[in-house]
Amino acid sequence: MSAAIATAAALALPISFSRSSKINTKRVGGGFKVFAIIGEEGGSVERKNPWTTLFEVEDPRSKLPLYQGKFLDAYQALEVARYDIQYCDWKARQDVLAIMLLHEKVVEALNPLAREFKSIGTMKKELAELQEELAQAHNQVHISEARVSTALDKLAYMETLVNDKILQERNTTEDEVSSPSTSTGSAESVKSRQSRRGLNVSGPVQPYSPRLKNFWYPVAFSADLKDDTMVPIDCFEEPWVLFRGKDGKPGCVRNSCAHRACPLDLGSVNEGRIQCPYHGWEYSTDGKCEKMPSTKLLNVKIKALPCFEQEGMIWIWPGDDPPTANIPSLLPPSGFQIHAEIVMELPVEHGLLLDNLLDLAHAPFTHTSTFAKGWSVPSMVKFLTPSNGLQGYWDPYPIDMEFRPPCMVLSTIGISKPGKLEGQSTRECSTHLHQLHVCLPSSRQKTRLLYRMSLDFAPILKHVPFMQYLWRHFAEQVLNEDLRLVLGQQERMLNGANIWNLPVSYDKLGVRYRLWRDSIEQGSDLEPFSKS
């Protein structure tokens, strides 16, 4: 029953039920009252307790569009699927109310006052009948839950079809606009089409918009930043260096000495200050020069970025806007343990790498020597987004996936053992692998990749010597299978080819990432990922 209540509450639609009986005001064992006068089937229902607004929803079947006997287009089918969800919600709440009323009857039957008027045998008989009714009601709840799950999947599928149709219609319209009548008209129409098309990713990567910098970016794992070490990084084509101050907190300063522009990461950390190897100038985590050997101390400061440490990761804010107060959590779900944290520098633009990570349909063709070895090729691959445009799950693969702005991909994979799949959803699998990929834009042709792998099984693997190196070997194998393809894409993109031609249904999450990025760089308030 608790699952059904949670389902009804989460959908947050008030509901109304009609039953051919009359219920008086009673007190339920939980300490609240349910006031209900139920009329004949189809009759109105009076309510006196505000709590019962949960059930004040009319039967949606009366509003079902009349499409019987018609061939439905994608938009009409989507509308029917949405009404199907409303009906399943209405039915689920009816089931919950039935269980509540039955529990109320049980409380009434067990009332000490009733024992004075009923024999033990009569009470046993009544309780046995109520127990049977409760069993039937609970069974009906499970049926309703299954119907809700099926209806949600159907709705997500219909949304995918409609999104594909919208995208096809947009491309068709643009192609018609670009049809040339003269050579001059052809050039102008092609230029118009390129400016109008929403997914034209071609040519050299343009300088990054300042708006894309106004996010918290994870740049390193805490374990890699010791008290006496430095971690040099590039972010948006600028050099920075991480180190820990006297208080142990991390700082991020420009990796260039104010004196002669010497790279500071070639020096050392001295009492919480980074020391330039050229003339020994020392800088604190806020960028202030606190020591100048062999000369008079001048008031000198190099640029420092807001830097924060949370949940085993170092974050920086490279933008000019004031940083937001909250940093998102990237920890694996409850029950998982982190087994590996790996950092790689890759010679590809970070958007191309994100495109690849957000695409699973390529796995049985690309990863034939690693995790997808032996996978069959399904007739249809879909990415379904029942709750949010930037997250969802793959069908028929048991993988949940999310793009989290500005550059993170989180995925949970259901497995029976490494390299094999079990079931068609993560819920059907007993063991799981959780992955975090962070694609930091080092430059327009270079990405700093942070990879974290977690498991909800085999905790003993954490204590196997040199296991970190084995995980890194596996990760590099998988990545190398992708890298040769993405490098080829990048070469053609730089020469003018559009690497996002003809998006299809399984490109859904990648398309939405590109639309999100376009909206940020153009300063649009539109959230296309929630509408497309």
Side-chain angles (χ1 to χ4, degrees):
M1 182 182 71
S2 59
I5 292 176
T7 300
L11 290 173
L13 292 174
I15 219 162
S16 166
F17 305 109
S18 57
R19 295 174 60 89
S20 56
S21 60
K22 185 174 182 180
I23 308 299
N24 296 323
T25 303
K26 304 292 182 183
R27 178 174 293 275
V28 180
F32 57 85
K33 293 183 178 181
V34 177
F35 294 87
I37 301 176
I38 314 299
E40 293 298 318
E41 185 71 18
S44 61
V45 180
E46 297 180 12
R47 300 282 185 257
K48 297 181 181 180
N49 193 316
W51 187 89
T52 58
T53 55
L54 178 63
F55 303 105
E56 290 176 358
V57 167
E58 63 179 316
D59 187 340
R61 288 175 291 184
S62 61
K63 297 182 179 180
L64 182 67
L66 299 177
Y67 292 131
Q68 187 173 0
K70 293 183 180 180
F71 290 101
L72 305 184
D73 62 24
Y75 301 100
Q76 292 170 332
L78 178 60
E79 187 177 9
V80 171
R82 285 172 175 162
Y83 274 101
D84 195 17
I85 287 288
Q86 293 181 26
Y87 171 73
C88 288
D89 172 60
W90 174 80
K91 189 67 174 67
R93 293 171 194 253
Q94 191 175 27
D95 297 335
V96 172
L97 181 59
I99 290 178
M100 290 175 57
L101 297 177
L102 285 170
H103 275 286
E104 184 180 334
K105 289 182 179 180
V106 171
V107 173
E108 182 180 359
L110 295 175
N111 191 322
L113 297 177
R115 299 175 189 172
E116 300 179 8
F117 305 99
K118 299 178 183 179
S119 65
I120 296 297
T122 300
M123 293 182 65
K124 285 183 177 181
K125 182 180 178 181
E126 289 181 357
L127 289 173
E129 292 174 351
L130 289 172
Q131 186 176 10
E132 184 178 350
E133 289 185 45
L134 275 171
Q136 294 176 357
H138 279 282
N139 185 57
Q140 186 59 47
V141 164
H142 295 315
I143 294 174
S144 293
E145 288 175 345
R147 286 175 176 169
V148 168
S149 178
T150 301
L152 285 171
D153 289 343
K154 186 191 299 182
L155 178 62
Y157 178 60
M158 293 310 305
E159 287 179 338
T160 299
L161 293 181
V162 170
N163 291 337
D164 293 344
K165 186 174 179 63
I166 292 172
L167 192 58
Q168 290 169 5
E169 290 175 349
R170 180 201 303 171
N171 292 341
T172 300
T173 301
E174 291 170 352
D175 289 341
E176 290 174 352
V177 170
S178 66
S179 298
S181 56
T182 65
S183 59
T184 303
S186 175
E188 291 177 353
S189 61
V190 168
K191 183 177 179 181
S192 173
R193 177 180 61 182
Q194 289 178 343
S195 65
R196 287 162 53 87
R197 186 179 295 276
L199 286 176
N200 185 6
V201 183
S202 62
V205 181
Q206 298 302 309
Y208 290 113
S209 167
R211 299 184 184 91
L212 197 59
K213 300 179 182 181
N214 289 318
F215 291 88
W216 281 108
Y217 282 85
V219 293
F221 293 112
S222 296
D224 294 334
L225 189 63
K226 311 297 183 184
D227 289 340
D228 58 349
T229 62
M230 295 167 287
V231 175
I233 63 168
D234 288 331
C235 183
F236 292 108
E237 303 187 308
E238 292 186 275
W240 305 93
V241 60
L242 306 170
F243 67 101
R244 294 189 182 275
K246 293 179 180 179
D247 55 3
K249 294 181 179 179
C252 179
V253 300
R254 189 181 296 277
N255 192 9
S256 183
C257 182
H259 179 212
R260 302 282 294 277
C262 180
L264 294 175
D265 69 291
L266 299 179
S268 59
V269 177
N270 181 26
E271 297 180 350
R273 297 185 299 268
I274 190 168
Q275 185 184 68
C276 177
Y278 207 171
H279 297 94
W281 290 23
E282 297 184 9
Y283 301 89
S284 58
T285 54
D286 63 358
K288 185 177 181 181
C289 185
E290 296 184 344
K291 194 172 182 180
M292 292 181 183
S294 308
T295 186
K296 182 180 178 181
L297 182 65
L298 302 176
N299 185 18
V300 173
K301 192 172 185 180
I302 58 176
K303 186 175 181 180
L305 295 179
C307 187
F308 197 80
E309 185 172 19
Q310 174 177 285
E311 299 173 345
M313 302 190 82
I314 310 296
W315 300 69
I316 64 171
W317 182 277
D320 294 327
D321 288 356
T324 57
N326 297 322
I327 295 179
S329 174
L330 297 181
L331 284 178
S334 176
F336 283 79
Q337 288 190 21
I338 297 172
H339 282 250
E341 292 180 336
I342 299 168
V343 180
M344 302 181 191
E345 301 289 343
L346 306 176
V348 295
E349 197 271 332
H350 89 290
L352 293 176
L353 188 58
L354 282 168
D355 289 340
N356 175 266
L357 292 170
L358 296 171
D359 176 0
L360 192 64
H362 73 278
F365 304 98
T366 303
H367 300 292
T368 53
S369 299
T370 54
F371 71 91
K373 184 177 182 179
W375 279 21
S376 59
V377 180
S379 58
M380 178 66 72
V381 176
K382 302 187 290 288
F383 185 80
L384 307 175
T385 56
S387 58
N388 184 290
L390 293 179
Q391 65 183 34
Y393 58 94
W394 288 92
D395 179 13
Y397 304 125
I399 300 178
D400 300 335
M401 186 173 285
E402 174 186 359
F403 167 69
R404 186 170 297 175
C407 64
M408 288 84 80
V409 177
L410 297 93
S411 58
T412 301
I413 306 172
I415 57 176
S416 54
K417 57 183 178 179
K420 298 209 174 181
L421 295 175
E422 171 191 335
Q424 290 192 338
S425 73
T426 54
R427 291 173 297 179
E428 296 177 8
C429 304
S430 56
T431 54
H432 303 83
L433 162 71
H434 181 78
Q435 298 183 112
L436 165 67
H437 291 85
V438 178
C439 301
L440 180 70
S442 298
S443 72
R444 282 178 278 180
Q445 293 186 45
K446 189 172 72 172
T447 298
R448 178 178 174 86
L449 174 66
L450 275 62
Y451 174 72
R452 174 186 276 172
M453 187 202 73
S454 307
L455 303 173
D456 64 355
F457 65 98
I460 194 173
L461 291 178
K462 285 176 63 71
H463 307 291
V464 175
F466 307 112
M467 197 66 193
Q468 176 84 0
Y469 299 102
L470 185 59
W471 290 132
R472 184 180 183 91
H473 172 70
F474 288 152
E476 288 178 343
Q477 274 191 310
V478 174
L479 190 61
N480 285 334
E481 289 178 321
D482 285 317
L483 202 54
R484 63 189 184 92
L485 307 179
V486 178
L487 284 172
Q489 281 184 300
Q490 179 168 265
E491 179 185 357
R492 283 153 180 77
M493 179 189 74
L494 295 177
N495 289 328
N498 183 9
I499 55 123
W500 264 109
N501 277 313
L502 302 175
V504 294
S505 59
Y506 55 64
D507 292 322
K508 185 176 188 177
L509 192 54
V511 168
R512 293 190 175 188
Y513 155 66
R514 285 291 176 175
L515 294 176
W516 170 85
R517 179 167 164 177
D518 287 347
S519 71
I520 294 297
E521 293 184 332
Q522 295 167 10
S524 172
D525 292 331
L526 178 66
E527 295 182 355
F529 52 83
S530 64
K531 303 178 185 297
S532 60

